Amino acid sequence: MSDLNKFENKSIDTDVNANPSLARQEINSQQVSIKAWSQKLLVVLLCVASFYGGWKSYESNMVNECTANGGQMVAGDRTMICQLS
C-alpha cells in the first residue's frame, strides 16, 4: 500500500513539473470563475437597480398625470389612488 502511494505522488509531481503551463491553466481557470461570479453579481445588482428605478419613474409619472388632470393622490391600503375633485 505504501509503495502505491509513493508511485502516485511521484507521478503527480512529475506531471506538474513536466508541464508547468498546466498549473497556470488551473490558476487561470479559477480566476475566470471568480470573475464570472463577480460579473453575474454585478448584472443582478444592475437589474435590481434598473427595476427599482423604473418602478419609481412609473409612480412619479402617475402622480404627475393625476395632478395634471386636477386630481389628488390618496393613499390606499397598498396602492395610491388618484381622486379627482
Side-chain angles (χ1 to χ4, degrees), residues 5-19 22:
N5 290 338
K6 288 180 185 177
F7 177 73
E8 287 177 4
N9 289 339
K10 287 181 183 178
S11 67
I12 291 172
D13 291 340
T14 24
D15 288 340
V16 172
N17 291 334
N19 193 358
L22 180 64

Side-chain angles (χ1 to χ4, degrees), residues 26-46:
E26 289 178 8
I27 291 170
N28 289 340
S29 68
Q30 290 174 353
Q31 290 173 349
V32 169
S33 175
I34 291 170
K35 185 177 179 182
W37 276 108
S38 63
Q39 286 177 346
K40 290 176 185 177
L41 182 60
L42 178 63
V43 168
V44 167
L45 289 175
L46 289 174

Side-chain angles (χ1 to χ4, degrees), residues 27-79:
I27 291 170
N28 289 340
S29 68
Q30 290 174 353
Q31 290 173 349
V32 169
S33 175
I34 291 170
K35 185 177 179 182
W37 276 108
S38 63
Q39 286 177 346
K40 290 176 185 177
L41 182 60
L42 178 63
V43 168
V44 167
L45 289 175
L46 289 174
C47 287
V48 168
S50 175
F51 177 79
Y52 183 75
W55 185 357
K56 289 299 179 182
S57 175
Y58 172 77
E59 285 181 349
S60 175
N61 287 338
M62 291 297 109
V63 169
N64 289 339
E65 187 175 333
C66 179
T67 55
N69 290 327
Q72 184 178 4
M73 295 302 290
V74 178
D77 289 337
R78 293 186 179 186
T79 59

